[in-house]
PDB file of all heavy atoms in Angstrom:
ATOM      1  N   GLU A  10      14.266  23.998 -31.233  1.00 92.00           N
ATOM      2  CA  GLU A  10      12.930  24.454 -31.604  1.00 92.00           C
ATOM      3  C   GLU A  10      12.052  23.282 -32.037  1.00 92.00           C
ATOM      4  O   GLU A  10      10.874  23.193 -31.678  1.00 92.00           O
ATOM      5  CB  GLU A  10      12.989  25.503 -32.733  1.00 92.00           C
ATOM      6  CG  GLU A  10      13.697  26.789 -32.370  1.00 92.00           C
ATOM      7  CD  GLU A  10      15.228  26.666 -32.439  1.00 92.00           C
ATOM      8  OE1 GLU A  10      15.753  25.795 -33.165  1.00 92.00           O
ATOM      9  OE2 GLU A  10      15.893  27.427 -31.720  1.00 92.00           O
ATOM     10  N   GLU A  11      12.629  22.368 -32.838  1.00 93.00           N
ATOM     11  CA  GLU A  11      11.877  21.194 -33.287  1.00 93.00           C
ATOM     12  C   GLU A  11      11.500  20.312 -32.101  1.00 93.00           C
ATOM     13  O   GLU A  11      10.384  19.805 -32.020  1.00 93.00           O
ATOM     14  CB  GLU A  11      12.704  20.373 -34.276  1.00 93.00           C
ATOM     15  CG  GLU A  11      12.984  21.057 -35.595  1.00 93.00           C
ATOM     16  CD  GLU A  11      13.955  20.228 -36.418  1.00 93.00           C
ATOM     17  OE1 GLU A  11      15.181  20.332 -36.173  1.00 93.00           O
ATOM     18  OE2 GLU A  11      13.471  19.467 -37.281  1.00 93.00           O
ATOM     19  N   LEU A  13      11.111  21.162 -28.927  1.00 93.00           N
ATOM     20  CA  LEU A  13      10.082  21.789 -28.103  1.00 93.00           C
ATOM     21  C   LEU A  13       8.723  21.803 -28.814  1.00 93.00           C
ATOM     22  O   LEU A  13       7.687  21.623 -28.176  1.00 93.00           O
ATOM     23  CB  LEU A  13      10.504  23.196 -27.689  1.00 93.00           C
ATOM     24  CG  LEU A  13      11.711  23.244 -26.739  1.00 93.00           C
ATOM     25  CD1 LEU A  13      12.178  24.679 -26.533  1.00 93.00           C
ATOM     26  CD2 LEU A  13      11.396  22.572 -25.415  1.00 93.00           C
ATOM     27  N   GLU A  18       3.316  19.680 -29.113  1.00 93.00           N
ATOM     28  CA  GLU A  18       2.251  19.040 -29.892  1.00 93.00           C
ATOM     29  C   GLU A  18       1.797  17.737 -29.243  1.00 93.00           C
ATOM     30  O   GLU A  18       0.613  17.408 -29.259  1.00 93.00           O
ATOM     31  CB  GLU A  18       2.722  18.780 -31.322  1.00 93.00           C
ATOM     32  CG  GLU A  18       2.831  20.038 -32.160  1.00 93.00           C
ATOM     33  CD  GLU A  18       3.471  19.789 -33.528  1.00 93.00           C
ATOM     34  OE1 GLU A  18       3.866  18.626 -33.830  1.00 93.00           O
ATOM     35  OE2 GLU A  18       3.588  20.754 -34.300  1.00 93.00           O
ATOM     36  N   GLY A  22      -3.966  19.049 -25.858  1.00 90.00           N
ATOM     37  CA  GLY A  22      -5.225  18.321 -25.728  1.00 90.00           C
ATOM     38  C   GLY A  22      -5.199  17.247 -24.652  1.00 90.00           C
ATOM     39  O   GLY A  22      -6.225  16.642 -24.362  1.00 90.00           O
ATOM     40  N   VAL A  24      -3.157  17.676 -21.576  1.00 88.00           N
ATOM     41  CA  VAL A  24      -2.987  18.372 -20.299  1.00 88.00           C
ATOM     42  C   VAL A  24      -3.360  19.839 -20.530  1.00 88.00           C
ATOM     43  O   VAL A  24      -3.493  20.281 -21.665  1.00 88.00           O
ATOM     44  CB  VAL A  24      -1.543  18.253 -19.745  1.00 88.00           C
ATOM     45  CG1 VAL A  24      -1.189  16.811 -19.417  1.00 88.00           C
ATOM     46  CG2 VAL A  24      -0.524  18.832 -20.696  1.00 88.00           C
ATOM     47  N   ILE A  29       1.402  22.667 -20.105  1.00 91.00           N
ATOM     48  CA  ILE A  29       2.214  22.622 -21.324  1.00 91.00           C
ATOM     49  C   ILE A  29       3.249  23.743 -21.287  1.00 91.00           C
ATOM     50  O   ILE A  29       4.439  23.509 -21.493  1.00 91.00           O
ATOM     51  CB  ILE A  29       1.341  22.731 -22.594  1.00 91.00           C
ATOM     52  CG1 ILE A  29       0.465  21.489 -22.748  1.00 91.00           C
ATOM     53  CG2 ILE A  29       2.217  22.926 -23.835  1.00 91.00           C
ATOM     54  CD1 ILE A  29      -0.573  21.593 -23.851  1.00 91.00           C
ATOM     55  N   TYR A  36      11.938  22.863 -19.999  1.00 91.00           N
ATOM     56  CA  TYR A  36      12.884  22.180 -20.879  1.00 91.00           C
ATOM     57  C   TYR A  36      13.691  23.160 -21.737  1.00 91.00           C
ATOM     58  O   TYR A  36      14.862  22.909 -22.015  1.00 91.00           O
ATOM     59  CB  TYR A  36      12.180  21.112 -21.728  1.00 91.00           C
ATOM     60  CG  TYR A  36      11.886  19.895 -20.885  1.00 91.00           C
ATOM     61  CD1 TYR A  36      10.604  19.626 -20.445  1.00 91.00           C
ATOM     62  CD2 TYR A  36      12.920  19.045 -20.476  1.00 91.00           C
ATOM     63  CE1 TYR A  36      10.348  18.534 -19.630  1.00 91.00           C
ATOM     64  CE2 TYR A  36      12.671  17.953 -19.666  1.00 91.00           C
ATOM     65  CZ  TYR A  36      11.390  17.705 -19.247  1.00 91.00           C
ATOM     66  OH  TYR A  36      11.148  16.625 -18.440  1.00 91.00           O
ATOM     67  N   GLU A  51      23.038  19.098 -29.534  1.00 92.00           N
ATOM     68  CA  GLU A  51      22.787  17.712 -29.927  1.00 92.00           C
ATOM     69  C   GLU A  51      22.948  16.763 -28.740  1.00 92.00           C
ATOM     70  O   GLU A  51      22.135  15.851 -28.552  1.00 92.00           O
ATOM     71  CB  GLU A  51      23.756  17.316 -31.051  1.00 92.00           C
ATOM     72  CG  GLU A  51      23.516  15.919 -31.580  1.00 92.00           C
ATOM     73  CD  GLU A  51      24.504  15.577 -32.687  1.00 92.00           C
ATOM     74  OE1 GLU A  51      24.458  16.220 -33.746  1.00 92.00           O
ATOM     75  OE2 GLU A  51      25.305  14.646 -32.452  1.00 92.00           O
ATOM     76  N   LEU A  54      19.887  17.223 -26.337  1.00 92.00           N
ATOM     77  CA  LEU A  54      18.652  16.666 -26.885  1.00 92.00           C
ATOM     78  C   LEU A  54      18.697  15.140 -26.938  1.00 92.00           C
ATOM     79  O   LEU A  54      17.694  14.469 -26.704  1.00 92.00           O
ATOM     80  CB  LEU A  54      18.371  17.254 -28.267  1.00 92.00           C
ATOM     81  CG  LEU A  54      18.098  18.768 -28.288  1.00 92.00           C
ATOM     82  CD1 LEU A  54      17.906  19.262 -29.715  1.00 92.00           C
ATOM     83  CD2 LEU A  54      16.913  19.127 -27.419  1.00 92.00           C
ATOM     84  N   ASP A  59      13.331  11.012 -26.804  1.00 92.00           N
ATOM     85  CA  ASP A  59      12.186  11.303 -27.660  1.00 92.00           C
ATOM     86  C   ASP A  59      11.239  12.265 -26.945  1.00 92.00           C
ATOM     87  O   ASP A  59      10.759  11.963 -25.846  1.00 92.00           O
ATOM     88  CB  ASP A  59      11.468   9.983 -27.959  1.00 92.00           C
ATOM     89  CG  ASP A  59      10.336  10.125 -28.959  1.00 92.00           C
ATOM     90  OD1 ASP A  59       9.860  11.256 -29.181  1.00 92.00           O
ATOM     91  OD2 ASP A  59       9.928   9.088 -29.511  1.00 92.00           O
ATOM     92  N   LYS A  65       4.525  11.922 -22.891  1.00 89.00           N
ATOM     93  CA  LYS A  65       3.671  10.855 -22.365  1.00 89.00           C
ATOM     94  C   LYS A  65       3.885  10.698 -20.857  1.00 89.00           C
ATOM     95  O   LYS A  65       2.923  10.498 -20.104  1.00 89.00           O
ATOM     96  CB  LYS A  65       3.975   9.534 -23.095  1.00 89.00           C
ATOM     97  CG  LYS A  65       3.065   8.409 -22.729  1.00 89.00           C
ATOM     98  CD  LYS A  65       1.671   8.652 -23.231  1.00 89.00           C
ATOM     99  CE  LYS A  65       0.789   7.440 -22.975  1.00 89.00           C
ATOM    100  NZ  LYS A  65      -0.606   7.732 -23.220  1.00 89.00           N
ATOM    101  N   LYS A  72      -2.253  12.821 -14.920  1.00 80.00           N
ATOM    102  CA  LYS A  72      -3.436  12.012 -14.628  1.00 80.00           C
ATOM    103  C   LYS A  72      -3.397  11.511 -13.193  1.00 80.00           C
ATOM    104  O   LYS A  72      -4.390  11.566 -12.480  1.00 80.00           O
ATOM    105  CB  LYS A  72      -3.504  10.804 -15.577  1.00 80.00           C
ATOM    106  CG  LYS A  72      -3.998  11.116 -16.947  1.00 80.00           C
ATOM    107  CD  LYS A  72      -4.061   9.834 -17.750  1.00 80.00           C
ATOM    108  CE  LYS A  72      -4.468  10.077 -19.180  1.00 80.00           C
ATOM    109  NZ  LYS A  72      -4.475   8.836 -19.955  1.00 80.00           N
ATOM    110  N   GLN A  90      -5.753   0.361 -10.072  1.00 48.00           N
ATOM    111  CA  GLN A  90      -6.620   0.376  -8.902  1.00 48.00           C
ATOM    112  C   GLN A  90      -7.818   1.293  -9.078  1.00 48.00           C
ATOM    113  O   GLN A  90      -8.476   1.636  -8.125  1.00 48.00           O
ATOM    114  CB  GLN A  90      -5.821   0.836  -7.664  1.00 48.00           C
ATOM    115  CG  GLN A  90      -4.663  -0.056  -7.321  1.00 48.00           C
ATOM    116  CD  GLN A  90      -5.098  -1.461  -6.992  1.00 48.00           C
ATOM    117  OE1 GLN A  90      -6.061  -1.657  -6.280  1.00 48.00           O
ATOM    118  NE2 GLN A  90      -4.414  -2.438  -7.535  1.00 48.00           N
ATOM    119  N   ARG A  93      -9.311   7.789  -7.902  1.00 47.00           N
ATOM    120  CA  ARG A  93      -9.447   8.131  -6.485  1.00 47.00           C
ATOM    121  C   ARG A  93     -10.885   8.422  -6.100  1.00 47.00           C
ATOM    122  O   ARG A  93     -11.191   8.566  -4.941  1.00 47.00           O
ATOM    123  CB  ARG A  93      -8.570   9.342  -6.154  1.00 47.00           C
ATOM    124  CG  ARG A  93      -7.111   8.997  -6.241  1.00 47.00           C
ATOM    125  CD  ARG A  93      -6.265  10.151  -5.816  1.00 47.00           C
ATOM    126  NE  ARG A  93      -4.862   9.817  -6.014  1.00 47.00           N
ATOM    127  CZ  ARG A  93      -3.913  10.695  -6.043  1.00 47.00           C
ATOM    128  NH1 ARG A  93      -4.158  11.956  -5.876  1.00 47.00           N
ATOM    129  NH2 ARG A  93      -2.671  10.321  -6.226  1.00 47.00           N
ATOM    130  N   TRP A 115       2.480  -6.118  17.867  1.00 86.00           N
ATOM    131  CA  TRP A 115       2.512  -5.850  19.301  1.00 86.00           C
ATOM    132  C   TRP A 115       1.116  -5.633  19.858  1.00 86.00           C
ATOM    133  O   TRP A 115       0.828  -6.003  20.998  1.00 86.00           O
ATOM    134  CB  TRP A 115       3.435  -4.680  19.631  1.00 86.00           C
ATOM    135  CG  TRP A 115       3.017  -3.352  19.051  1.00 86.00           C
ATOM    136  CD1 TRP A 115       3.329  -2.844  17.834  1.00 86.00           C
ATOM    137  CD2 TRP A 115       2.183  -2.370  19.689  1.00 86.00           C
ATOM    138  NE1 TRP A 115       2.753  -1.610  17.663  1.00 86.00           N
ATOM    139  CE2 TRP A 115       2.052  -1.294  18.790  1.00 86.00           C
ATOM    140  CE3 TRP A 115       1.558  -2.295  20.926  1.00 86.00           C
ATOM    141  CZ2 TRP A 115       1.311  -0.167  19.093  1.00 86.00           C
ATOM    142  CZ3 TRP A 115       0.827  -1.162  21.217  1.00 86.00           C
ATOM    143  CH2 TRP A 115       0.706  -0.112  20.313  1.00 86.00           C
ATOM    144  N   ILE A 116       0.210  -5.078  19.059  1.00 86.00           N
ATOM    145  CA  ILE A 116      -1.161  -4.897  19.529  1.00 86.00           C
ATOM    146  C   ILE A 116      -1.849  -6.258  19.633  1.00 86.00           C
ATOM    147  O   ILE A 116      -2.548  -6.535  20.610  1.00 86.00           O
ATOM    148  CB  ILE A 116      -1.948  -3.956  18.586  1.00 86.00           C
ATOM    149  CG1 ILE A 116      -1.413  -2.535  18.711  1.00 86.00           C
ATOM    150  CG2 ILE A 116      -3.436  -3.990  18.902  1.00 86.00           C
ATOM    151  CD1 ILE A 116      -2.070  -1.534  17.798  1.00 86.00           C
ATOM    152  N   VAL A 148     -13.782 -33.992  52.401  1.00 94.00           N
ATOM    153  CA  VAL A 148     -13.695 -34.361  53.831  1.00 94.00           C
ATOM    154  C   VAL A 148     -14.853 -35.289  54.184  1.00 94.00           C
ATOM    155  O   VAL A 148     -14.683 -36.283  54.903  1.00 94.00           O
ATOM    156  CB  VAL A 148     -13.682 -33.088  54.715  1.00 94.00           C
ATOM    157  CG1 VAL A 148     -13.862 -33.434  56.177  1.00 94.00           C
ATOM    158  CG2 VAL A 148     -12.399 -32.321  54.496  1.00 94.00           C
TER     159      VAL A 148
END
Side-chain angles (χ1 to χ4, degrees):
E10 297 80 24
E11 294 173 278
L13 293 172
E18 288 173 359
V24 296
I29 293 171
Y36 284 105
E51 183 180 295
L54 296 177
D59 186 342
K65 186 68 174 169
K72 282 182 184 178
Q90 299 299 316
R93 292 184 184 163
W115 63 272
I116 291 178
V148 169

